[in-house]
């Protein structure tokens, strides 16, 4: 059984990043750094393709996730030369402040897939 993938996103407790990089070779590989400059610097040293910070807002998917603040995005914009992703509780209203603070990308889950008011296609259209 073979799975074709473009890449992988890892959490801090998801195993060895170095091993994942060896297995995935030239695939996209990123890691969550919560609200930590140290974790982000370590990720860069380990040849990530992007770093992710969060959770910025309360999330249904991970209600006990470590919290991040906008200062980490401002720091990353100045100090990290790789793409920066914001994660955690993002919706069609609060995402703008993350982009303004320095996120290159946002990662969405609950707003699209677990939205009690909108179908996934409708939720995605809210970001235009």
């Amino acid at each position: 059984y073979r799975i074709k993938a473009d890449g992988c996103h890892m959490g801090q407790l998801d195993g060895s990043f170095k091993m994942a990089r060896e297995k995935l070779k030239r695939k996209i590989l990123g890691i969550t750094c919560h609200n930590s400059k140290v974790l982000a610097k370590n990720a860069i040293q380990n040849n990530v393709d992007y770093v992710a910070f969060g959770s910025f807002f309360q999330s249904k998917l991970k209600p006990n996730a470590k919290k991040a603040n906008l200062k980490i995005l401002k720091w990353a914009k100045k100090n990290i030369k790789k793409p920066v992703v914001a994660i955690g509780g993002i919706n069609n209203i609060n995402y703008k402040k993350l982009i303004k603070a320095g996120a290159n990308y946002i990662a969405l889950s609950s707003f699209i897939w677990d939205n009690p008011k909108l179908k996934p296609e409708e939720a995605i259209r809210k970001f235009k």
Side-chain angles (χ1 to χ4, degrees), residues 59-70:
S59 169
K60 293 178 190 176
L61 186 62
K62 293 186 179 183
N64 298 318
K66 294 179 182 180
K67 297 297 176 217
N69 61 54
L70 295 179

Side-chain angles (χ1 to χ4, degrees), residues 34-53:
H34 303 296
N35 195 52
S36 172
K37 295 174 186 177
V38 172
L39 292 176
K41 289 175 184 178
N42 186 47
I44 296 299
Q45 289 175 347
N46 282 299
N47 199 25
V48 297
D49 295 299
Y50 68 88
V51 294
F53 295 101

Side-chain angles (χ1 to χ4, degrees), residues 111-123:
F111 185 78
I112 294 171
W113 301 111
D114 193 26
N115 193 319
K117 297 178 182 177
L118 301 171
K119 294 179 182 178
E121 301 84 19
E122 295 168 329

Side-chain angles (χ1 to χ4, degrees), residues 37 40 51 53 70-85 97-104:
K37 295 174 186 177
V51 294
F53 295 101
L70 295 179
K71 290 179 185 176
I72 196 74
L73 292 176
K74 292 174 184 177
W75 172 84
K77 186 175 186 175
K78 292 179 184 175
N79 295 284
I80 293 180
K81 304 301 180 219
K82 301 278 184 170
V84 174
V85 179
K97 62 178 83 171
L98 299 172
I99 300 297
K100 186 176 180 180
N104 300 105

Side-chain angles (χ1 to χ4, degrees), residues 22-34:
E22 289 172 15
K23 298 274 186 196
L24 294 172
K25 303 207 188 312
R26 291 181 287 274
K27 301 288 185 174
I28 299 168
L29 190 54
I31 191 164
T32 298
C33 298
H34 303 296

